[in-house]
Amino acid sequence: MIEVLKIYRAYLIFAAVVILAVLASVAIAESELQKDQLEVPDGIIYVYSDLCPYCKKFEPKFEQVVYSLPKLEVTRWNIREDIYLQTKASRLGVEATPTVLVVKEGKVVDSLVGDREEHELRRFILNNFDEESLIDS
């Protein structure tokens, strides 16, 4: 019985350490967000998770459209790998992946959520940017 209690106590200590580590990383992410005041680059922000099946299906279509618009500024945020980006994306209104954000003058002006067809994504981007400014002359 004493051995079981020792194991249980060790488990509780381990769980407490893990919880404290997670809370510390969230606190660091929050303090980093306060420092940069949600500064985001202009252009497109592609928010995804490398484990998301919808993201995996959408990514080739996204990359094809982006490739065809070489002057489009694109930032990719894998929110599974970085709690800072996850918190930042959440503050920008991202609730699901994949999400494509249009940012102008540091503000999100439009978003497209979910696995969409290539033509829908292209239309979305071209509705928000001048096509001639995105294509090499």
Side-chain angles (χ1 to χ4, degrees):
M1 182 67 169
I2 292 176
E3 286 299 315
V4 170
L5 290 175
K6 286 181 182 178
I7 292 171
Y8 182 69
R9 181 174 178 250
Y11 173 76
L12 288 177
I13 291 171
F14 173 75
V17 168
V18 168
I19 290 169
L20 288 174
V22 168
L23 291 174
S25 67
V26 168
I28 290 169
E30 288 291 327
S31 69
E32 289 297 317
L33 279 174
Q34 289 173 357
K35 284 181 193 172
D36 76 8
Q37 296 299 313
L38 284 178
E39 290 179 15
V40 291
D42 284 354
I44 294 288
I45 300 177
Y46 173 47
V47 183
Y48 69 99
S49 169
D50 57 0
L51 295 180
C52 165
Y54 303 105
C55 299
K56 288 179 181 181
K57 187 176 174 194
F58 178 69
E59 188 171 7
K61 295 178 267 190
F62 176 80
E63 293 301 335
Q64 181 65 35
V65 171
V66 167
Y67 180 78
S68 71
L69 303 168
K71 292 185 179 179
L72 181 65
E73 295 292 326
V74 178
T75 304
R76 292 164 178 81
W77 289 356
N78 182 355
I79 60 172
R80 187 188 72 81
E81 292 180 349
D82 189 332
I83 193 159
Y84 170 70
L85 291 179
Q86 186 177 44
T87 305
K88 199 168 182 175
S90 178
R91 290 245 178 113
L92 292 173
V94 175
E95 296 179 350
T97 56
T99 295
V100 178
L101 302 173
V102 174
V103 180
K104 293 184 180 179
E105 298 178 9
K107 306 276 187 214
V108 175
V109 296
D110 205 353
S111 63
L112 183 73
V113 181
D115 175 25
R116 301 295 186 95
E117 293 303 318
E118 191 174 321
H119 70 276
E120 291 176 284
L121 175 61
R122 177 175 295 282
R123 186 173 346 120
F124 168 76
I125 292 172
L126 296 178
N127 283 341
N128 285 287
F129 296 95
D130 176 32
E131 184 173 8
E132 290 180 18
S133 69
L134 301 177
I135 300 174
D136 286 329
S137 309

